[in-house]
Amino acid sequence: MITFEEALSIINNTRVSCTTEKVRLETSTGRILAADVFSDVEMPPFDKAAVDGFACRRADLHELLEIIEVIPAGTQPVKAVAPGKCARIMTGAMVPEGADTVIMVEHTEMTEDGNVRFMKDKTSANIAFRAEDVKLGQQVLSKGTLLKPQHIAILAAVGIPEPLVYRKPVIGIISTGDELTEPGNKPRTGQIRNSNAWQLMAQAGQLNLTKIYTGIAADSPESVKTHIKQAFEKSDIVLLTGGVSMGDFDHVPEVMQELGVEILFKSIAVQPGRPTVFGIRDEKFIFGLPGNPVSSYVQFELLVKQLIYRIMGHQLEPVVLRLPMASDYTRKKAERKSFIPVKINENGLIEPIEYHGSAHIHAYMEADGMMAVEIGEAKITKGALRDVRQL
């Protein structure tokens, strides 16, 4: 048995193959950039008005100003601003030659003869100056960036309609167990509905990954082998739940080895998820996850997601909040590192959720995150600062 930190280190140091592809801008959110991006333009490309108002010379602020033209956004000024003159200008329009200030329209009044008077004591320039945001040739995004909507705006602004990104892995999903039946079926005596596969497909779906579901494997080495071989043919990462513990019908580790899988670990000092198996074959990966739904859910979040992002060219840094405990927390056994579901209350305090063990997936329905309780740690006192990994 290895520690959770050792398992995570194995995931982070396992060699992965990252291939690239170009995708349309509208489908690139959540993808990982595979190349640095440089700007082919200056931003702004010219001095532009930051407000609706009048472009003038600062030296003339307290003079009556004659309007010489109107400059809408998207047009080029025709006249230069001379002393005592101004141009009516719209937000985003090019500032005319000679002007160094745009006074806001609400800070002005019109005289009876159609001139403009500034009604304040002072004003800022109200000009977005050429290249003050981005210079020509400047790097604007780095390889490895996880693309969010604000990054999409940058890509569009620098003329990248098809960014180069890392390919997403295909996820193969298998459930094992003679006791399982699919959600649409009424369970017979001794049966339960298969929730793990659909949970894992939903977790993979949140990352916009392609999923291959092979169905339920029976509790026999032959059936498990058939499903794993089928999943390996079509997937980059295989997720199998159940059959990884020490029972008479837990065939997964031995079948993995028969299929040439190099097992890198098969037991972690963690709760939930101790009998988690991880292996590699021909640059493809397989996780044997425990059959209890909380275990498979948690280990996907902690380990599987880490590997997925590595294949996509990104080192995942999960969002972690450091907050105080709302009350004392105790546990009876402290031999393993434990991850427990918690809520963050209206006062920003951590409240552990009532949790009955690795089959109690309902405990995660209202969870804001998971809190780690370290090996040997049996009690956490009220007010103690703890890290909460957001879900």
Side-chain angles (χ1 to χ4, degrees), residues 37-58:
V37 175
F38 300 87
S39 180
D40 67 343
V41 294
E42 295 176 321
M43 295 186 210
F46 47 79
D47 293 348
K48 68 178 183 177
V51 296
D52 291 334
F54 299 91
C56 64
R57 303 186 329 139
R58 180 171 290 275

Side-chain angles (χ1 to χ4, degrees), residues 115-187:
N115 291 325
V116 176
R117 178 183 290 118
F118 180 55
M119 301 301 293
K120 296 288 185 178
D121 292 330
K122 58 184 179 180
T123 181
S124 60
N126 293 319
I127 295 174
F129 292 100
R130 178 176 178 175
E132 71 175 6
D133 295 337
V134 176
K135 295 177 175 57
L136 179 65
Q138 178 180 332
Q139 182 176 328
V140 291
L141 290 173
S142 300
K143 175 181 177 180
T145 297
L146 172 61
L147 293 176
K148 300 177 182 179
Q150 58 267 39
H151 303 124
I152 304 305
I154 294 172
L155 289 168
V158 300
I160 307 291
E162 294 187 342
L164 184 70
V165 299
Y166 289 105
R167 187 180 64 83
K168 297 185 295 185
V170 176
I171 308 298
I173 296 172
I174 309 166
S175 284
T176 70
D178 291 337
E179 77 280 12
L180 297 180
T181 188
E182 294 294 13
N185 301 329
K186 185 73 173 178

Side-chain angles (χ1 to χ4, degrees), residues 18-22 31-35 143 164-167:
C18 299
T19 57
T20 63
E21 61 182 347
K22 285 190 174 184
R31 303 298 296 269
I32 313 298
L33 269 184
K143 175 181 177 180
L164 184 70
V165 299
Y166 289 105
R167 187 180 64 83

Side-chain angles (χ1 to χ4, degrees), residues 353-381:
I353 294 173
E354 183 179 352
Y355 173 55
H356 304 150
S358 57
H360 190 200
I361 191 62
H362 299 80
Y364 275 80
M365 288 175 58
E366 298 181 356
D368 296 312
M370 297 184 291
M371 180 181 74
V373 185
E374 301 298 330
I375 292 175
E377 193 172 29
K379 181 177 181 178
I380 304 172
T381 58

Side-chain angles (χ1 to χ4, degrees), residues 207-353:
L207 303 178
N208 294 317
L209 303 178
T210 300
K211 293 91 62 181
I212 304 294
Y213 177 47
T214 70
I216 299 171
D219 280 327
S220 71
E222 294 77 15
S223 180
V224 172
K225 184 180 294 185
T226 297
H227 279 263
I228 292 178
K229 288 173 68 175
Q230 181 182 346
F232 262 136
E233 288 176 3
K234 302 177 180 179
S235 311
D236 302 292
I237 301 174
V238 177
L239 307 181
L240 182 148
T241 65
V244 295
S245 192
M246 301 296 290
D248 292 341
F249 298 99
D250 293 332
H251 305 294
V252 171
E254 64 185 65
V255 170
M256 284 185 185
Q257 291 177 316
E258 289 177 13
L259 290 174
V261 173
E262 178 188 359
I263 295 179
L264 302 181
F265 60 76
K266 59 181 178 180
S267 183
I268 311 173
V270 67
Q271 185 180 23
R274 179 188 59 79
T276 296
V277 182
F278 174 60
I280 183 173
R281 188 189 82 169
D282 299 330
E283 296 189 341
K284 294 190 175 186
F285 303 92
I286 183 167
F287 284 90
L289 300 172
N292 281 319
V294 176
S295 299
S296 59
Y297 175 83
V298 168
Q299 293 311 318
F300 182 98
E301 293 297 314
L302 297 176
L303 296 180
V304 178
K305 189 178 284 188
Q306 198 78 16
L307 179 64
I308 288 170
Y309 273 103
R310 287 202 64 228
I311 291 174
M312 293 185 354
H314 181 74
Q315 188 64 36
L316 179 64
E317 297 294 340
V319 177
V320 175
L321 303 176
R322 191 160 182 80
L323 300 169
M325 294 288 293
S327 59
D328 290 346
Y329 170 81
T330 60
R331 61 174 179 164
K332 294 180 181 179
K333 297 181 179 180
E335 294 84 8
R336 288 182 276 163
K337 183 170 184 170
S338 181
F339 290 90
I340 63 169
V342 298
K343 291 181 66 175
I344 300 170
N345 68 22
E346 65 274 11
N347 297 316
L349 304 177
I350 302 169
E351 294 183 353
I353 294 173

